Amino acid sequence: MVTDPIGDFIIRIKNAAAVGKDTVSVPHSKFKMAVADKLKEAGYVKSIDRRGKKIKKTIEIGLIYDKDGKSRIMGVKRISKPGRRLYRNVEEIYPVKYGHGSLLLSTPQGVMTDKEAKKARVGGEALFEIW
């Protein structure tokens, strides 16, 4: 049993990108689906597809590589964990890797990237950084 589903989700994506896989499959949940949609909007993944029915549902995520074979995802860092939730208000949201990365937040208005949260003037739980 996985105690940190979002941590498991991002590590599966990072590991699949590190070994050059085209797609990665993760167990389905609405929250993971919202995070995957934001990763697609931010340009870190190519495609998102739901597979299976009922209890065997999965999310199939297609990864992006450049012409040299380097992944778009270079690294991830989990910030808020099940044992220690970390929240940031709008003044505490800073650019990741000098603007080359993104911070994903769970806000009252849904999952947002750092740029969207700053624009909407809303804070929330800092989930993870990706670059």
Side-chain angles (χ1 to χ4, degrees):
M1 184 174 144
V2 177
T3 58
D4 184 11
I6 295 299
D8 178 60
F9 173 78
I10 62 172
I11 292 301
R12 282 184 192 219
I13 293 172
K14 184 183 102 168
N15 289 344
V19 297
K21 297 255 183 181
D22 290 331
T23 62
V24 61
S25 181
V26 296
H28 181 276
S29 76
K30 288 181 185 178
F31 189 59
K32 289 180 196 172
M33 196 66 193
V35 171
D37 286 335
K38 280 299 165 189
L39 289 175
K40 184 177 179 187
E41 284 179 26
Y44 290 101
V45 297
K46 179 172 39 178
S47 63
I48 301 164
D49 192 26
R50 289 189 198 124
R51 304 265 170 156
K53 292 184 179 182
K54 304 250 181 190
I55 198 160
K56 296 188 180 192
K57 268 202 261 189
T58 60
I59 303 170
E60 194 83 21
I61 299 171
L63 302 173
I64 297 176
Y65 298 95
D66 63 6
K67 59 186 172 207
D68 299 329
K70 290 182 72 175
S71 172
R72 174 75 171 89
I73 299 170
M74 302 304 265
V76 294
K77 180 183 175 189
R78 183 77 161 117
I79 297 172
S80 185
K81 299 174 181 163
R84 182 175 183 213
R85 301 289 182 193
L86 293 173
Y87 299 89
R88 294 192 181 165
N89 60 28
V90 70
E91 290 85 20
E92 297 171 336
I93 299 173
Y94 302 110
V96 177
K97 299 286 184 183
Y98 300 102
H100 295 288
S102 294
L103 168 70
L104 264 75
L105 296 123
S106 177
T107 68
Q109 298 174 1
V111 177
M112 294 182 161
T113 63
D114 53 348
K115 294 171 185 83
E116 293 170 344
K118 283 275 252 198
K119 189 174 182 181
R121 300 282 305 153
V122 65
E125 181 184 351
L127 298 173
F128 61 92
E129 295 176 346
I130 187 165
W131 61 90

